[in-house]
Amino acid sequence: MCPASIHPIAIALALLACSSAPIAARGQTAKEVNEQTQFWGSLNSTSRLTDRWGAVGDFHIRRNDFIEDPSFYLLRFGAHYWLSDTLALTLGYAHNWVAPAREDWRTWTEENRIYQQVQHSTRLGRVSVLHRLRNEQRWREEVQDDSLTGEHAFSDRVRYLVSLTIPVSERASIPSLVLSDEILIQFGPDIVTNTFDQNRLFAGIKKSLSRDWSFDLGYMLVHQQKASGYEYDLNHTLRWFFYFTPDLRKTKSTHDPAGSEE
């Protein structure tokens, strides 16, 4: 079935329901939830070089206790291939620098990723709809007693996102409403109790600054299950993402595809 034929609101609600469903406890260990506040900022770029080829890149900063403590820094880039103005494929690489998992530790870990992605954008009336399916192969450094072991843990993570951009006014100066949900599941030899990795639910506004620049700003609720299986993070996150989308083709398409979501 083509993604455009699936009602996006139904998908978002189904994903949220699945990710919020209780997960059976292992043994007699009680579920523990750690609530915290975060700030997540990023710069995301999609540059169209020809009718078929382009380049993507993004840099992310996430901090805990709103902005007090570091969480991670992520750099990602890749080659982008348009099958049509509404359907595109991406192949790329990402590197992640992750802050120590415990307050009394000092050792940062690094992660290498290779990812593949398919993205479909369309419109339902005036509403822009984005579907994105991404597959990531991840190699994460392992740490024990605040020291790197020299070993890497491998996992494969699958992510599905649906995003709606809803205009609230005919005036371009008025921001649009953005609603999105992304569910992440993972597999691998070390993934035993947390196949469900996390769910990211976002609500906010999107504002164009110029032909090539825009941003979205709003609240993201990140619900993540830890490796223990009974520990969860519930992150109340202020998200502020900037987008740079230059079209460098000499002759440009008249089709206006739906917006992007990182």
Side-chain angles (χ1 to χ4, degrees):
M1 182 180 293
C2 175
S5 64
I6 304 174
H7 200 290
I9 297 178
I11 293 175
L13 292 175
L15 290 178
L16 180 59
C18 290
S19 66
S20 301
I23 298 177
R26 306 276 178 172
Q28 300 299 316
T29 305
K31 179 178 178 179
E32 297 179 6
V33 180
N34 172 45
E35 288 197 54
Q36 60 184 349
T37 58
Q38 292 183 328
F39 172 79
W40 192 339
S42 75
L43 174 61
N44 309 272
S45 175
T46 302
S47 302
R48 193 156 189 173
L49 307 176
T50 70
D51 284 344
R52 295 297 183 188
W53 289 99
V56 296
D58 44 294
F59 178 67
H60 295 253
I61 298 174
R62 192 169 80 180
R63 299 189 68 84
N64 295 328
D65 296 327
F66 189 49
I67 60 173
E68 184 175 348
D69 300 317
S71 175
F72 69 70
Y73 303 96
L74 183 139
L75 178 64
R76 180 168 44 214
F77 55 86
H80 205 58
Y81 183 80
W82 279 269
L83 297 171
S84 69
D85 276 347
T86 62
L87 184 62
L89 306 176
T90 306
L91 175 64
Y93 168 80
H95 194 86
N96 197 14
W97 295 264
V98 183
R102 292 173 41 174
E103 292 183 1
D104 56 337
W105 285 9
R106 295 293 179 264
T107 302
W108 285 65
T109 57
E110 297 186 26
E111 174 189 333
N112 292 287
R113 298 182 192 174
I114 298 173
Y115 73 97
Q116 308 82 39
Q117 175 179 296
V118 58
Q119 179 172 298
H120 182 263
S121 56
T122 187
R123 292 187 183 277
L124 293 176
R126 297 176 61 228
V127 178
S128 299
V129 184
L130 177 73
H131 300 273
R132 187 185 71 198
L133 181 65
R134 178 181 292 170
N135 186 38
E136 301 171 323
Q137 296 77 51
R138 310 169 70 197
W139 291 266
R140 293 171 291 171
E141 289 184 319
E142 293 187 327
V143 62
Q144 184 176 8
D145 298 327
D146 202 18
S147 297
L148 296 175
T149 66
E151 302 293 328
H152 290 77
F154 172 78
S155 62
D156 187 278
R157 187 166 70 177
V158 179
R159 307 167 51 166
Y160 174 70
L161 175 140
V162 59
S163 177
L164 310 178
T165 302
I166 307 168
V168 295
S169 173
E170 298 287 349
R171 298 171 56 187
S173 60
I174 303 298
S176 297
L177 176 66
V178 177
L179 301 173
S180 70
D181 190 57
E182 183 177 25
I183 188 168
L184 300 84
I185 58 176
Q186 57 187 351
F187 312 91
D190 297 319
I191 307 300
V192 180
T193 59
N194 63 327
T195 298
F196 165 73
D197 177 31
Q198 58 185 284
N199 190 81
R200 301 171 178 175
L201 181 66
F202 176 77
I205 61 169
K206 184 166 187 176
K207 178 73 170 64
S208 294
L209 300 175
S210 67
R211 181 181 180 85
D212 297 335
W213 283 95
S214 63
F215 72 86
D216 63 38
L217 174 66
Y219 169 76
M220 173 180 278
L221 179 65
V222 180
H223 180 212
Q224 183 171 17
Q225 186 180 23
K226 311 300 285 186
S228 65
Y230 65 88
E231 295 174 295
Y232 293 80
D233 284 340
L234 192 62
N235 301 328
H236 303 281
T237 307
L238 174 63
R239 195 186 91 172
W240 196 2
F241 284 7
F242 285 86
Y243 304 94
F244 179 53
T245 54
D247 190 336
L248 304 178
R249 294 174 293 173
K250 293 182 179 180
T251 302
K252 302 177 182 179
S253 170
T254 58
H255 180 76
D256 181 21
S260 63
E261 165 77 25
E262 295 301 327

